[in-house]
Amino acid sequence: PQVLFEFAEWAPSNFVFSPDGRYLYGSSYYSGVSNIYRYELARKRMQPLSNAETGFFKPLPLTADSLVVLAYSQTGFVPSMMANVVPDSISAIRFLGNAIADTRREVRDWMVPPVAELGPQPTADSARPYRARENFTLNNAYPVVEGYQNAARANAVAAGVRFNFSDRVGATNLEVTSSYSPDGRIAPDERVHLRAVFRHWNWKLTGALNRADFYDLVGPTKLSRKGYALGAQYARTLRIDGPTSYGYTVQAATYGNLAILPEFQGVSTSYRQLSTLNADFAYKSLRKSLGAIDDELGATWSTAIRSSLVNGQLYPRASLDVAKGLLLPLDHSSVWFRGSAGTRLAGDRTQPFARFYFGGFANNWVDYRAVKQFRNAESFPGLDINTVSGATYAKGQVEWVSPPLRFRHVGIPSAYLRWANLSLFGTALATDVSESAARRSYRSAGAQLDVRLVTLSNLDSTISFGFAVATGSGIPVRRASMVSFKIL
């Protein structure tokens, strides 16, 4: 860094270059009021351009002889123009407060004494431990519309209400959603939908009955499930140090009256009771340069144990996911290598609880999750969701992320485009790799275009378009397209 000019205790603000690079224009309270200054780089000279009594802010060179500035007024900041000319002379600004203090010296006795002279002061009449239950209250309630996928896989619309509770510091909260499906195709015992999520620091408790979800109405990925579910989760981050972080998650759950597996929407089950115990450990160290729209380099890895207990039989599975990103000579462009592998540890390999399932882009038409769902281990663009499976698997993916195309004049102030970004990827998958007779292989290639849209001046949304081609053992060439709108 190089010091160009010292404004003493008044910091410079909003300095910008002139189009020809000869000057820097900005503002400072150097005179006691925010005024505009010009720094000439060749002569290393700072010159004042204004001496207003009310203040000018955020100068922007418009032409060689004029600037656009924001003038302070009682109605707010007013865009104005001023001459790009150094005045011949500058008089002292007369501060009315100082003038009153000079003529009516008794007002000086009205000054608040320094904090050091006041000494310690009580901040409350009494101190007591904070208890979340004593500060727990209803924050809001609003109507909701949800989708419910019955056994016939027909989406039924459910209407209901959601209640949100929390304590004052937000460390404890409760979300309760209740809805009802009047659709006659649904069995009477499935028409009521309940879901509750309770969070307290690192803990999360969930309960559901015939779970429904709004996003089941707007896409192929379904979260609604028949039956009941009770779960407990504990998550802890062990370290956060700049770009590096790692932590673990432990989760236990029990399910009843199942029709399809909780983890895989396309897999039916004849077992009505299921208990699970899962544990994950994840590490990531990711970085990006100034102006980047996504992580550009670094590494991540995670390992997981998934265990299902059905009719006294335990079906444990283990998996490992790794990713490595490298920068390319192009600005904000990188290539990512991803790998994933998993295996069953015990149990009949033909049972659905002992297998891993793959397929689909996994984006919904309207979504709230990460934009690039194709990066997930269970995704395989080009094939339908949960189309292929294996008791063991190995998967690899390479992705090229293009430099973003930035837009400056597309849209209106309340709704405009910010950038567009293209990802090209290729994926290979082998299932049942430990069984030569059952071994299968699959290949996929595709692209996804993401366009960032800003609405209401500062709310980010993303429109995504995807296309992929896939083929493999016993599967002819298939093509799939995807359109998704990620809100906020």
Side-chain angles (χ1 to χ4, degrees):
Q2 179 182 359
V3 178
L4 302 181
F5 184 82
E6 180 58 60
F7 280 98
E9 69 270 20
W10 300 106
S13 301
N14 308 309
F15 270 78
V16 295
F17 279 97
S18 61
D20 57 12
R22 295 176 56 195
Y23 300 99
L24 281 164
Y25 295 91
S27 63
S28 174
Y29 280 85
Y30 189 58
S31 64
V33 177
S34 180
N35 274 292
I36 306 302
Y37 294 85
R38 182 182 72 184
Y39 182 80
E40 188 175 0
L41 294 169
R43 298 185 180 183
K44 299 182 179 180
R45 180 175 59 176
M46 183 69 72
Q47 297 174 300
L49 298 183
S50 71
N51 192 40
E53 295 181 348
T54 55
F56 293 133
F57 303 85
K58 288 187 175 294
L60 182 65
L62 184 62
T63 63
D65 59 359
S66 62
L67 303 172
V68 174
V69 297
L70 295 181
Y72 180 78
S73 72
Q74 63 181 2
T75 59
F77 291 103
V78 180
S80 308
M81 292 185 65
M82 62 173 290
N84 186 11
V85 177
V86 178
D88 295 334
S89 61
I90 293 179
S91 59
I93 297 176
R94 182 171 179 261
F95 296 100
L96 297 181
N98 291 343
I100 293 174
D102 290 338
T103 58
R104 304 294 296 271
R105 303 187 66 84
E106 64 270 19
V107 302
R108 301 188 180 189
D109 299 331
W110 299 354
M111 297 291 292
V112 177
V115 176
E117 297 180 5
L118 294 175
Q121 298 292 317
T123 57
D125 296 336
S126 62
R128 65 183 187 274
Y130 176 83
R131 293 182 174 86
R133 65 177 180 271
E134 297 176 0
N135 296 274
F136 205 69
T137 185
L138 174 65
N139 291 332
N140 51 62
Y142 48 83
V144 296
V145 177
E146 299 180 307
Y148 179 71
Q149 183 184 34
N150 64 7
R153 300 195 177 187
N155 281 338
V157 177
V161 63
R162 172 167 166 169
F163 301 90
N164 296 300
F165 304 83
S166 75
D167 67 338
R168 292 187 179 182
V169 299
T172 303
N173 60 76
L174 172 66
E175 304 165 2
V176 179
T177 306
S178 174
S179 61
Y180 179 79
S181 296
D183 196 322
R185 296 173 298 174
I186 300 177
D189 61 345
E190 295 184 54
R191 295 180 184 177
V192 175
H193 315 287
L194 301 173
R195 184 168 185 259
V197 180
F198 177 77
R199 297 181 180 88
H200 179 69
W201 296 108
N202 298 82
W203 287 94
K204 177 181 176 182
L205 306 177
T206 59
L209 174 65
N210 300 324
R211 176 182 174 177
D213 193 273
F214 165 78
Y215 293 95
D216 278 23
L217 296 172
V218 286
T221 302
K222 308 298 182 183
L223 296 178
S224 58
R225 297 291 188 270
K226 176 188 175 182
Y228 68 84
L230 297 172
Q233 174 184 292
Y234 181 82
R236 183 178 179 184
T237 300
L238 300 176
R239 181 183 180 184
I240 300 179
D241 184 10
T244 302
S245 66
Y246 52 83
Y248 66 89
T249 302
V250 179
Q251 182 183 46
T254 183
Y255 305 88
N257 299 328
L258 293 176
I260 56 178
L261 291 186
E263 191 175 2
F264 303 112
Q265 68 182 62
V267 184
S268 302
T269 178
S270 58
Y271 297 98
R272 298 303 182 188
Q273 302 293 325
L274 168 66
S275 298
T276 62
L277 179 61
N278 305 325
D280 303 79
F281 185 90
Y283 167 91
K284 68 177 182 179
S285 180
L286 301 172
R287 290 179 292 167
K288 57 185 178 181
S289 58
L290 289 175
I293 62 175
D294 200 358
D295 295 318
E296 295 178 323
L297 75 161
T300 68
W301 64 266
S302 64
T303 182
I305 298 292
R306 300 281 187 268
S307 299
S308 300
L309 180 63
V310 182
N311 286 352
Q313 177 66 50
L314 186 65
Y315 297 89
R317 295 173 292 142
S319 63
L320 174 67
D321 301 317
V322 297
K324 178 67 174 180
L326 303 174
L327 273 175
L328 297 178
L330 298 173
D331 289 343
H332 306 305
S333 180
S334 57
V335 59
W336 285 87
F337 301 93
R338 297 184 179 87
S340 180
T343 181
R344 68 179 178 93
L345 302 178
D348 183 358
R349 59 180 296 274
T350 62
Q351 290 293 326
F353 314 103
R355 303 182 69 80
F356 302 85
Y357 291 83
F358 308 90
F361 268 97
N363 297 74
N364 275 345
W365 307 323
V366 178
D367 216 329
Y368 65 98
R369 301 166 301 160
V371 171
K372 300 182 187 295
Q373 289 289 313
F374 68 83
R375 295 175 174 175
N376 296 336
E378 64 274 11
S379 174
F380 199 85
L383 302 180
D384 293 335
I385 295 176
N386 303 153
T387 297
V388 298
S389 68
T392 59
Y393 79 93
K395 180 184 176 184
Q397 183 182 82
V398 59
E399 176 194 0
W400 173 65
V401 182
S402 73
L405 174 63
R406 304 184 188 275
F407 304 105
R408 294 179 60 88
H409 304 289
V410 181
I412 58 177
S414 60
Y416 57 91
L417 299 183
R418 177 168 288 175
W419 49 256
N421 171 250
L422 177 67
S423 292
L424 302 178
F425 54 88
T427 310
L429 171 67
T431 60
D432 291 315
V433 294
S434 59
E435 303 286 338
S436 58
R439 187 179 303 137
R440 300 289 186 272
S441 62
Y442 307 91
R443 300 169 300 280
S444 172
Q448 180 169 319
L449 176 67
D450 302 311
V451 181
R452 175 57 54 85
L453 171 68
V454 179
T455 56
L456 299 179
S457 298
N458 65 349
L459 299 180
D460 290 337
S461 302
T462 306
I463 304 175
S464 300
F465 306 90
F467 180 79
V469 178
T471 187
S473 302
I475 297 179
V477 175
R478 293 184 179 178
R479 298 172 177 82
S481 58
M482 179 272 295
V483 177
S484 179
F485 178 68
K486 183 182 184 298
I487 55 176
L488 306 181

Coordinates of all heavy atoms in Angstrom, one line a residue, residues 79-110:
P79 N -29.3 13.9 -5.8 CA -28.3 13.9 -6.9 C -28.2 15.3 -7.5 O -29.2 15.9 -7.8 CB -28.9 12.9 -7.9 CG -29.9 12.0 -7.2 CD -30.4 12.9 -6.1
S80 N -26.9 15.7 -7.6 CA -26.6 17.1 -8.0 C -25.4 17.1 -8.9 O -24.7 16.1 -9.0 CB -26.4 18.0 -6.8 OG -27.5 18.0 -5.9
M81 N -25.2 18.2 -9.6 CA -24.0 18.4 -10.4 C -23.2 19.6 -9.8 O -23.7 20.6 -9.4 CB -24.3 18.6 -11.8 CG -24.9 17.4 -12.5 SD -25.2 17.7 -14.3 CE -23.5 17.8 -14.9
M82 N -21.8 19.4 -9.9 CA -21.0 20.5 -9.5 C -19.8 20.6 -10.5 O -19.5 19.6 -11.2 CB -20.4 20.3 -8.1 CG -19.6 19.0 -7.9 SD -18.8 18.9 -6.2 CE -17.6 20.2 -6.3
A83 N -19.2 21.8 -10.5 CA -18.1 22.0 -11.4 C -16.8 21.3 -11.0 O -16.6 21.2 -9.8 CB -17.8 23.5 -11.6
N84 N -16.1 20.8 -11.9 CA -14.8 20.1 -11.6 C -13.7 21.2 -11.6 O -12.8 21.2 -12.5 CB -14.5 19.0 -12.6 CG -13.3 18.2 -12.3 OD1 -12.7 18.4 -11.2 ND2 -12.9 17.4 -13.2
V85 N -13.8 22.1 -10.7 CA -12.9 23.3 -10.7 C -12.5 23.5 -9.3 O -13.3 23.5 -8.3 CB -13.6 24.6 -11.2 CG1 -12.7 25.8 -11.1 CG2 -14.0 24.4 -12.7
V86 N -11.2 23.8 -9.1 CA -10.6 24.1 -7.8 C -11.0 25.6 -7.5 O -10.6 26.5 -8.2 CB -9.1 23.9 -7.7 CG1 -8.6 24.3 -6.3 CG2 -8.8 22.4 -8.0
P87 N -11.7 25.9 -6.4 CA -12.0 27.3 -6.1 C -10.8 28.1 -5.8 O -9.8 27.6 -5.3 CB -13.0 27.2 -4.9 CG -12.6 25.9 -4.3 CD -12.2 25.0 -5.4
D88 N -10.9 29.5 -6.0 CA -9.8 30.4 -5.8 C -9.5 30.5 -4.3 O -8.3 30.6 -3.9 CB -10.1 31.8 -6.3 CG -10.3 31.8 -7.9 OD1 -9.6 30.9 -8.5 OD2 -11.0 32.6 -8.4
S89 N -10.5 30.5 -3.5 CA -10.3 30.6 -2.0 C -11.4 29.8 -1.3 O -12.5 29.7 -1.8 CB -10.3 32.1 -1.6 OG -11.6 32.7 -1.9
I90 N -11.1 29.4 -0.1 CA -12.0 28.7 0.7 C -12.1 29.4 2.1 O -11.0 29.6 2.7 CB -11.6 27.2 0.9 CG1 -11.7 26.5 -0.5 CG2 -12.4 26.5 1.9 CD1 -11.3 25.1 -0.4
S91 N -13.3 29.7 2.5 CA -13.4 30.4 3.8 C -13.8 29.3 4.9 O -14.2 28.2 4.6 CB -14.6 31.4 3.8 OG -15.8 30.8 3.4
A92 N -13.5 29.7 6.1 CA -13.8 28.7 7.2 C -15.4 28.5 7.3 O -16.1 29.5 7.2 CB -13.3 29.3 8.5
I93 N -15.8 27.3 7.5 CA -17.2 27.0 7.7 C -17.6 27.4 9.1 O -16.9 27.0 10.1 CB -17.4 25.5 7.5 CG1 -17.1 25.1 6.0 CG2 -18.9 25.1 7.8 CD1 -17.2 23.6 5.7
R94 N -18.7 28.1 9.2 CA -19.2 28.6 10.5 C -20.1 27.5 11.1 O -21.2 27.3 10.5 CB -19.9 29.9 10.4 CG -20.4 30.5 11.7 CD -20.9 31.9 11.5 NE -21.4 32.5 12.7 CZ -22.7 32.6 13.0 NH1 -23.6 32.1 12.2 NH2 -23.1 33.1 14.2
F95 N -19.7 26.9 12.2 CA -20.5 25.9 12.9 C -21.4 26.6 13.9 O -20.9 27.3 14.8 CB -19.7 24.9 13.5 CG -18.9 24.1 12.5 CD1 -17.5 24.3 12.3 CD2 -19.5 23.0 11.8 CE1 -16.8 23.6 11.4 CE2 -18.8 22.3 10.9 CZ -17.4 22.6 10.7
L96 N -22.7 26.5 13.8 CA -23.6 27.2 14.7 C -23.4 26.8 16.1 O -23.6 27.5 17.1 CB -25.0 27.0 14.2 CG -25.4 27.5 12.8 CD1 -26.9 27.3 12.5 CD2 -25.1 29.0 12.8
G97 N -23.1 25.5 16.3 CA -22.9 25.0 17.7 C -21.7 25.7 18.4 O -21.8 26.1 19.5
N98 N -20.6 25.8 17.6 CA -19.5 26.6 18.2 C -19.8 28.0 18.4 O -19.4 28.6 19.4 CB -18.3 26.4 17.2 CG -17.8 25.0 17.2 OD1 -18.1 24.2 18.0 ND2 -17.0 24.7 16.1
A99 N -20.6 28.6 17.5 CA -20.9 30.1 17.7 C -21.8 30.3 18.9 O -21.6 31.2 19.7 CB -21.6 30.6 16.4
I100 N -22.7 29.4 19.2 CA -23.5 29.5 20.4 C -22.7 29.4 21.6 O -22.8 30.1 22.6 CB -24.7 28.5 20.3 CG1 -25.6 28.8 19.2 CG2 -25.4 28.4 21.7 CD1 -26.7 27.8 19.0
A101 N -21.7 28.4 21.6 CA -20.9 28.1 22.8 C -20.0 29.3 23.0 O -19.6 29.6 24.2 CB -20.1 26.9 22.5
D102 N -19.6 30.1 22.0 CA -18.7 31.3 22.2 C -19.5 32.4 22.8 O -19.0 33.2 23.6 CB -18.1 31.7 20.8 CG -17.1 30.7 20.4 OD1 -16.5 29.9 21.2 OD2 -16.8 30.6 19.1
T103 N -20.8 32.6 22.4 CA -21.6 33.7 22.9 C -22.4 33.4 24.2 O -22.6 34.3 24.9 CB -22.5 34.2 21.8 OG1 -23.4 33.1 21.4 CG2 -21.8 34.6 20.6
R104 N -22.7 32.2 24.3 CA -23.5 31.7 25.5 C -22.7 30.6 26.2 O -22.9 29.5 26.1 CB -24.9 31.3 25.2 CG -25.7 32.3 24.4 CD -26.0 33.5 25.3 NE -26.9 33.1 26.4 CZ -28.2 33.1 26.4 NH1 -28.8 33.4 25.3 NH2 -28.9 32.8 27.4
R105 N -21.7 31.1 27.0 CA -20.8 30.1 27.5 C -21.4 29.2 28.6 O -20.8 28.1 28.9 CB -19.6 30.9 28.2 CG -18.9 31.8 27.2 CD -17.6 32.4 27.8 NE -16.6 31.5 28.1 CZ -15.7 31.0 27.2 NH1 -15.7 31.5 26.0 NH2 -14.8 30.2 27.6
E106 N -22.6 29.5 29.0 CA -23.2 28.6 30.0 C -23.6 27.2 29.4 O -23.7 26.2 30.1 CB -24.4 29.2 30.7 CG -25.6 29.5 29.7 CD -25.5 30.9 29.1 OE1 -24.4 31.4 29.1 OE2 -26.5 31.3 28.6
V107 N -23.7 27.1 28.1 CA -24.1 25.9 27.5 C -22.9 24.8 27.6 O -23.2 23.6 27.5 CB -24.5 26.0 26.0 CG1 -25.6 27.0 25.9 CG2 -23.3 26.5 25.2
R108 N -21.7 25.3 27.8 CA -20.6 24.4 28.0 C -20.8 23.5 29.2 O -20.2 22.4 29.3 CB -19.3 25.2 28.0 CG -19.0 26.0 26.8 CD -17.7 26.6 26.8 NE -17.4 27.4 25.6 CZ -16.2 27.9 25.2 NH1 -15.2 27.6 26.0 NH2 -16.1 28.6 24.1
D109 N -21.5 24.0 30.2 CA -21.7 23.2 31.4 C -22.7 22.1 31.2 O -22.9 21.3 32.0 CB -22.2 24.1 32.5 CG -21.2 25.2 32.9 OD1 -20.0 25.0 32.7 OD2 -21.6 26.3 33.4
W110 N -23.4 22.1 30.0 CA -24.4 21.1 29.7 C -23.7 19.8 29.1 O -24.4 18.8 28.9 CB -25.4 21.6 28.7 CG -26.2 22.8 29.1 CD1 -26.2 23.4 30.4 CD2 -27.0 23.6 28.3 NE1 -27.0 24.5 30.4 CE2 -27.5 24.6 29.2 CE3 -27.5 23.5 27.0 CZ2 -28.4 25.6 28.7 CZ3 -28.4 24.5 26.6 CH2 -28.9 25.5 27.4

